[in-house]
Amino acid sequence: MIDITILGYIAALCTTCSFVPQVLYILKTRDTASISLAMYSCFVFGVFLWFVYGIAVLDWPVIIANAMTLLLSSIILSLKVRDVMRERKSSVRCQQ
């Protein structure tokens, strides 16, 4: 029978690794147009809260998975914010 903690690590690996292709794609293409700023902002905050929860209850699969997911999703969010700020600066310049 599989140890439930190992099941947690496997689940953490699967969900965390699902962000890697998106991060690599955005880093390669610099295209964040299809990424929702509101969704990623909410998601990153939620993952941060799960990370804090994992620390509070000392649940290592939760801590590790959410630390890695927080890093990956924060990269996506920061690139999206950068692009939104560039778009706003560009539209302000065009209006002047």
Side-chain angles (χ1 to χ4, degrees):
M1 184 167 225
I2 190 166
D3 180 2
I4 198 69
T5 303
I6 292 172
L7 183 65
Y9 281 112
I10 293 169
L13 180 67
C14 291
T15 57
T16 300
C17 287
S18 70
F19 282 87
V20 173
Q22 185 71 57
V23 171
L24 294 176
Y25 175 82
I26 291 173
L27 290 173
K28 180 181 175 183
T29 65
R30 302 288 187 205
D31 177 20
T32 62
S34 62
I35 301 294
S36 166
L37 179 59
M39 179 270 178
Y40 261 90
S41 297
C42 185
F43 182 77
V44 167
F45 184 63
V47 171
F48 171 75
L49 293 177
W50 274 113
F51 175 69
V52 171
Y53 170 82
I55 291 171
V57 299
L58 291 175
D59 188 331
W60 283 105
V62 173
I63 294 168
I64 292 168
N66 286 289
M68 294 173 62
T69 302
L70 184 59
L71 173 67
L72 294 169
S73 60
S74 293
I75 291 170
I76 294 171
L77 178 61
S78 65
L79 292 171
K80 177 63 178 181
V81 168
R82 179 201 64 189
D83 290 349
V84 167
M85 297 303 286
R86 283 182 182 170
E87 289 173 15
R88 288 183 181 164
K89 283 181 183 178
S90 177
S91 67
V92 167
R93 286 185 197 142
C94 290
Q95 292 173 359
Q96 291 177 350

